[in-house]
């Protein structure tokens, strides 16, 4: 697994985007350095074809983090490869994205 992707597990998500054209699913995750820098985690098809997204127990809402005195969408817990895509798990629920690429690479 990518060191960059590993480094993000347990960090806070501040934005989730899925454009209408389904070109990607993007999570903006705070880097753990404490400077409120963020890293874009993207899931997409290398040929630019639309991705498919499915979810379970989705609950997106603002959470207060007393350590940083900030609001976020919860922790980015893990990402694992599944058949034809990726499973993304966090405080926001479980999201399955069917595509062939991630950045940072898994």
């Amino acid at each position: 697994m990518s060191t960059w992707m590993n480094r993000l597990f347990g960090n806070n998500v501040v934005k989730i985007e899925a454009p209408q054209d389904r070109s990607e699913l993007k999570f903006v995750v705070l880097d753990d350095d404490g400077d409120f820098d963020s890293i874009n985690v993207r899931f997409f098809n290398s040929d630019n074809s639309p991705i498919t997204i499915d979810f379970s127990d989705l609950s997106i809402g603002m959470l207060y983090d007393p350590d940083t005195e900030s609001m976020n969408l919860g922790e980015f817990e893990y990402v694992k490869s599944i058949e034809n895509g990726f499973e993304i798990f966090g405080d926001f629920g479980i999201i399955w994205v069917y595509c062939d690429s991630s950045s940072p690479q898994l």
Side-chain angles (χ1 to χ4, degrees):
M1 179 175 301
S2 157
T3 337
W4 273 103
M5 188 72 83
N6 243 352
R7 178 178 164 182
L8 298 175
F9 296 159
N11 291 1
N12 293 326
V13 175
V14 293
K15 188 175 189 179
I16 301 172
E17 293 181 344
Q20 187 173 356
D21 67 1
R22 294 294 185 258
S23 57
E24 68 179 0
L25 174 62
K26 181 170 76 174
F27 294 81
V28 178
V29 181
L30 291 179
D31 197 357
D32 205 19
D33 291 337
D35 293 332
F36 290 97
D37 291 329
S38 62
I39 296 173
N40 292 336
V41 179
R42 297 176 52 240
F43 300 91
F44 57 96
N45 281 318
S46 54
D47 66 358
N48 294 322
S49 62
I51 62 172
T52 301
I53 302 169
D54 194 7
F55 55 86
S56 175
D57 195 29
L58 191 63
S59 178
I60 299 175
M62 298 301 290
L63 302 171
Y64 178 72
D65 183 346
D67 294 335
T68 60
E69 297 182 354
S70 64
M71 302 293 284
N72 61 71
L73 300 174
E75 290 183 350
F76 190 71
E77 301 285 342
Y78 74 76
V79 176
K80 71 177 185 179
S81 291
I82 58 171
E83 186 175 343
N84 299 318
F86 303 92
E87 179 179 78
I88 305 143
F89 179 80
D91 291 333
F92 44 80
I94 302 170
I95 300 174
W96 296 281
V97 57
Y98 299 97
C99 61
D100 63 16
S101 301
S102 71
S103 174
Q105 193 170 28
L106 185 62

